[in-house]
Amino acid sequence: MSVLNSIQNIFRIEELKKRLYFTFALLTVYRIGAHVPTPGIDGEQLSKFLTDKGGALMGFFDMFSGGALSRVTIFALGIMPYISASIIFQLLTVVIPAIGKLAKEGEEGRKKITQYTRYGTIVISLIQSFGIAVGLETMANGQFIHNPGWGFRLVTMITLTAGTTFIMWLGEQITERGLGNGISLIIFAGIVARLPNAVVSTGRLIKAGEISIILMMIVFVLMIGVIAGIIYMERGQRKIPVQYAKRVVGRKMYGGQSTHLPLKINTSGVIPPIFASSIIMFPATIAGFIAIPWVQSFAKQLAPGSVVHDLIYVAMIVFFCYFYTAIVFNPVDIADNLKKYGGYIPGIRPGKNTSDYIFRVLSRLTFVGAIYLSVVCVLPGILISKFNVPFYFGGTSLLIVVGVALDTVSQIESHLLTRSYDGLLKKGRVKGRR
């Protein structure tokens, strides 16, 4: 009953209600656009061909475009070019000092990097759309293209790049005037949109007797357990106590309070599975289009569910967990900032000893986070290959869905609590991934 009252409270706050409606409206526009075909393409036949031949990589990238890639609609590239550009600029902040300096300049620096990210998104979109146009012309002797040539290539480049730019604008509008992170919610909407088809196909298989009801009940219980585990791990933190020394500035005394430095178990988020999946699935997908026996055999070895695939996949996830955490979290900078403002960790000397201690704790947390990500991401292959589950459950998609849901609920709770309303959950405030 308290949950129903909390939901009713959402619609009592005018600003929150407007933000909610605005978010739903823009997500609806995105889902409509994901069904608008690209000019000059036989979308229905091409979709069947790509689904049959594309294999795992097609399913992976189709997840981020909400099914628009397999149908080659105007939103075929989805939001992936923007994500790629964002990751590239995060890496460049470490490699190029000028960009690293911009990142430390506060709001103005952040705006500049956002502007460069937009330009990078357009460049990546143009390159990828040109590759798609050329690939479609050469695929199956160009039978899916009505009028191949430079005219088709230019139209495809303009259409797909404009589609990605529009999605990027939708995401920014949702972030600014709606609820939650716009880019994350767009990916969330694409993943959730495929859920009804999975439910319908599962129901048909149960009705036909191909899957037992007992097995589906076991899988359902497992699903609840995995989702609960993801929520627990995503909210998990190691709090390092920090004490600030008392300082006298003029006639006022500052400091003396105790706080903590929160270190997340999964600092890298969903970036490691995305990188690992892209790298390991690319050669397998390319091999699927080559009709050579040994190449086909190689592709089967890298197919999800095989031992070789799972071992390589886990190794890459562990590597990228440490790699990405090292980029986004610098213990030396944290130790320097603590020392600068008179903070210290009890029992640890300021400076190098503090940075070494934070690095040691972070390394152990990253190992736990890497194992957790590996288990969740390998789970779909086990369910599909061992238990013949007819839908893809777990992995990157589930991490994104749960994480975005936590972030959005956290924002709604903030609006409710600041206006003296009860939150969505009774015990405490929901903490998102930020």
Side-chain angles (χ1 to χ4, degrees):
M1 194 69 183
S2 61
V3 176
L4 291 176
N5 290 335
S6 299
I7 294 174
Q8 289 175 356
N9 290 337
I10 294 174
F11 296 96
R12 291 172 184 162
I13 301 172
E14 193 62 30
E15 182 193 351
L16 186 57
K17 186 168 66 173
K18 286 181 179 179
R19 284 179 174 270
L20 195 63
Y21 289 155
F22 183 81
T23 302
F24 276 120
L26 264 60
L27 290 177
T28 303
V29 170
Y30 164 67
R31 290 309 304 157
I32 293 172
H35 292 82
V36 178
T38 301
I41 296 174
D42 187 350
E44 187 176 343
Q45 295 300 319
L46 178 60
S47 179
K48 292 179 181 177
F49 179 81
L50 289 175
T51 303
D52 293 338
K53 293 286 186 179
L57 188 65
M58 179 57 64
F60 175 74
F61 285 114
D62 219 25
M63 175 185 73
F64 288 96
S65 63
L69 180 58
S70 61
R71 296 189 297 269
V72 194
T73 67
I74 59 172
F75 290 167
L77 293 178
I79 201 64
M80 279 300 287
Y82 181 82
I83 294 174
S84 301
S86 300
I87 293 171
I88 288 170
F89 275 98
Q90 281 185 343
L91 297 175
L92 290 179
T93 55
V94 180
V95 178
I96 301 177
I99 298 179
K101 187 179 178 181
L102 268 179
K104 297 177 181 178
E105 288 181 0
E107 186 65 21
E108 289 301 317
R110 188 188 63 80
K111 286 181 179 179
K112 276 287 183 183
I113 292 177
T114 301
Q115 186 178 0
Y116 295 151
T117 304
R118 291 170 183 162
Y119 296 150
T121 301
I122 293 174
V123 172
I124 292 172
S125 298
L126 287 170
I127 295 171
Q128 289 184 348
S129 57
F130 178 75
I132 287 175
V134 174
L136 291 175
E137 286 181 338
T138 57
M139 194 178 295
N141 298 320
Q143 66 180 18
F144 307 113
I145 310 302
H146 300 314
N147 296 301
W150 276 105
F152 167 74
R153 295 172 191 173
L154 288 174
V155 168
T156 303
M157 288 173 66
I158 293 171
T159 303
L160 298 188
T161 302
T164 296
T165 306
F166 183 68
I167 295 174
M168 179 175 64
W169 179 81
L170 286 178
E172 291 177 351
Q173 291 300 307
I174 292 173
T175 302
E176 184 179 345
R177 300 167 60 188
L179 279 173
N181 183 287
I183 302 301
S184 299
L185 281 171
I186 284 174
I187 300 174
F188 175 90
I191 296 171
V192 173
R194 303 172 71 183
L195 185 60
N197 288 334
V199 173
V200 171
S201 62
T202 304
R204 287 174 182 169
L205 291 173
I206 293 174
K207 190 176 180 180
E210 296 183 25
I211 298 179
S212 68
I213 297 178
I214 296 175
L215 175 61
M216 287 312 302
M217 290 177 65
I218 294 172
V219 171
F220 181 75
V221 172
L222 180 62
M223 289 168 60
I224 300 299
V226 171
I227 292 172
I230 290 176
I231 293 173
Y232 178 79
M233 295 298 287
E234 289 296 320
R235 295 176 63 187
Q237 296 178 345
R238 166 71 189 277
K239 297 180 179 179
I240 298 177
V242 176
Q243 182 73 36
Y244 282 91
K246 293 182 179 180
R247 294 180 300 159
V248 177
V249 180
R251 294 183 178 182
K252 292 185 179 180
M253 182 175 290
Y254 295 91
Q257 74 270 25
S258 298
T259 182
H260 64 268
L261 177 66
L263 299 181
K264 288 181 63 63
I265 294 176
N266 181 26
T267 306
S268 54
V270 295
I271 297 300
I274 292 174
F275 277 14
S277 299
S278 302
I279 292 173
I280 197 172
M281 288 181 183
F282 184 74
T285 304
I286 297 300
F289 289 94
I290 302 173
I292 301 175
W294 70 268
V295 175
Q296 296 288 331
S297 176
F298 171 73
K300 289 181 180 178
Q301 291 296 320
L302 291 179
S306 68
V307 177
V308 175
H309 170 273
D310 291 346
L311 289 175
I312 297 175
Y313 192 28
V314 169
M316 285 188 173
I317 288 175
V318 173
F319 169 76
F320 282 118
C321 277
Y322 279 98
F323 178 76
Y324 193 75
T325 300
I327 290 174
V328 300
F329 195 98
N330 191 337
V332 176
D333 288 345
I334 298 296
D336 290 343
N337 287 332
L338 286 176
K339 187 177 180 180
K340 180 179 178 181
Y341 293 103
Y344 63 92
I345 299 172
I348 308 294
R349 296 189 64 177
K352 187 177 183 305
N353 288 353
T354 298
S355 64
D356 289 344
Y357 176 77
I358 295 173
F359 176 79
R360 188 163 60 251
V361 173
L362 187 63
S363 297
R364 293 172 180 173
L365 286 176
T366 303
F367 179 76
V368 175
I371 299 301
Y372 142 71
L373 285 177
S374 301
V375 171
V376 174
C377 292
V378 170
L379 179 65
I382 296 173
L383 289 175
I384 293 171
S385 61
K386 304 298 181 183
F387 299 101
N388 295 320
V389 175
F391 53 85
Y392 191 89
F393 171 78
T396 310
S397 58
L398 186 62
L399 289 168
I400 292 172
V401 168
V402 174
V404 172
L406 286 174
D407 285 347
T408 308
V409 170
S410 176
Q411 265 204 33
I412 294 174
E413 286 243 324
S414 297
H415 282 279
L416 291 172
L417 294 173
T418 52
R419 291 165 177 82
S420 301
Y421 283 98
D422 289 333
L424 288 173
L425 298 180
K426 212 169 186 181
K427 292 184 179 179
R429 182 179 172 184
V430 175
K431 296 177 183 177
R433 292 176 297 171
R434 288 184 290 264

